[in-house]
Amino acid sequence: MSEIELLQPNTVSIAVLIILAYLVGSISFSLLMARIFSLGNLRNIGSGNIGTTNVLRTGNYLAAALTLILDLAKGFLPVLAAWFVTQNPIIVQVVGLACFFGHLWPIWHQFRGGKGVATFFGVIFAATPLAGIVVALIWCGVAGIFRIASLASLLSALAYPLVLIILGNFNYLWFAVLALIFIGLKHRPNIQRIFAGKESKIKL
């Protein structure tokens, strides 16, 4: 590929979209909500994770709901934009990973991020709506039965590639596998607590 081809507007716009996706993904809405609602330092609450579940543990349901919606949106909107710009599953997945990795390792917060579950859902709702709905129902079912958010998140991430295979959608499998790996790695302490019977439960 020549240098002229690399500088074509389409290539530049895709590169910009990927960078913006990472920067948007790096915004920690949980920390912003904690500041706006004076909830204290989330890293000193519950699991110390900067995610929706820990915001919920503060007892502020509005802050938790806003965190969830915004974390979903920061995965959903860049991926939707990538689809409209390129309609290329590979680029859509790269943009989705940029959002997801931004949440895991945010440049705005010394690369100390959350576990990526809400942003993961935002990505899959935009990229594969039907599979996203099925996986969200699995999350709700597991959370409703066991009241353990981390277990619901892990099983949802595990279910996503399987749901894609069942639906015959193989275009997004490598994003599904990578997301599963990183969500699993981020949940290692939770997995240990689950097997030890010490994982905290959702309290509504």
Side-chain angles (χ1 to χ4, degrees):
M1 183 178 291
S2 69
E3 290 182 4
I4 294 176
E5 287 176 316
L6 284 172
L7 292 175
Q8 291 297 315
N10 191 44
T11 302
V12 172
S13 65
I14 291 168
V16 169
L17 188 58
I18 292 169
I19 293 169
L20 288 177
Y22 170 77
L23 295 176
V24 170
S26 291
I27 301 172
S28 177
F29 289 109
S30 61
L31 294 178
L32 288 176
M33 292 302 110
R35 181 173 298 180
I36 291 170
F37 290 93
S38 301
L39 303 178
N41 187 349
L42 290 180
R43 299 191 191 275
N44 296 327
I45 298 172
S47 64
N49 180 52
I50 54 170
T52 302
T53 304
N54 239 19
V55 177
L56 186 61
R57 289 191 178 105
T58 68
N60 192 313
Y61 297 109
L62 176 58
L66 289 173
T67 299
L68 176 61
I69 292 169
L70 291 169
D71 278 351
L72 285 167
K74 75 181 184 183
F76 184 88
L77 294 176
V79 170
L80 191 64
W83 176 251
F84 279 115
V85 169
T86 70
Q87 296 184 355
N88 184 321
I90 295 176
I91 295 171
V92 170
Q93 287 175 96
V94 172
V95 170
L97 279 174
C99 299
F100 182 65
F101 287 162
H103 185 88
L104 299 184
W105 298 288
I107 192 172
W108 314 123
H109 304 288
Q110 297 78 51
F111 302 101
R112 297 172 59 209
K115 296 176 181 177
V117 177
T119 303
F120 159 76
F121 270 107
V123 170
I124 68 174
F125 282 147
T128 56
L130 179 57
I133 292 170
V134 172
V135 174
L137 291 174
I138 291 171
W139 192 99
C140 293
V142 174
I145 294 170
F146 297 100
R147 297 290 181 181
I148 301 176
S150 58
L151 179 62
S153 299
L154 287 163
L155 292 180
S156 297
L158 179 62
Y160 182 48
L162 301 177
V163 171
L164 287 179
I165 292 171
I166 292 170
L167 293 176
N169 187 345
F170 301 100
N171 289 332
Y172 294 89
L173 267 180
W174 69 266
F175 170 81
V177 172
L178 286 173
L180 169 60
I181 291 170
F182 284 104
I183 287 174
L185 290 173
K186 281 287 186 174
H187 279 82
R188 282 177 296 177
N190 303 85
I191 293 170
Q192 293 172 353
R193 290 194 295 268
I194 288 170
F195 280 108
K198 297 180 179 179
E199 182 70 325
S200 60
K201 297 191 175 184
I202 301 170
K203 296 179 181 179
L204 298 176

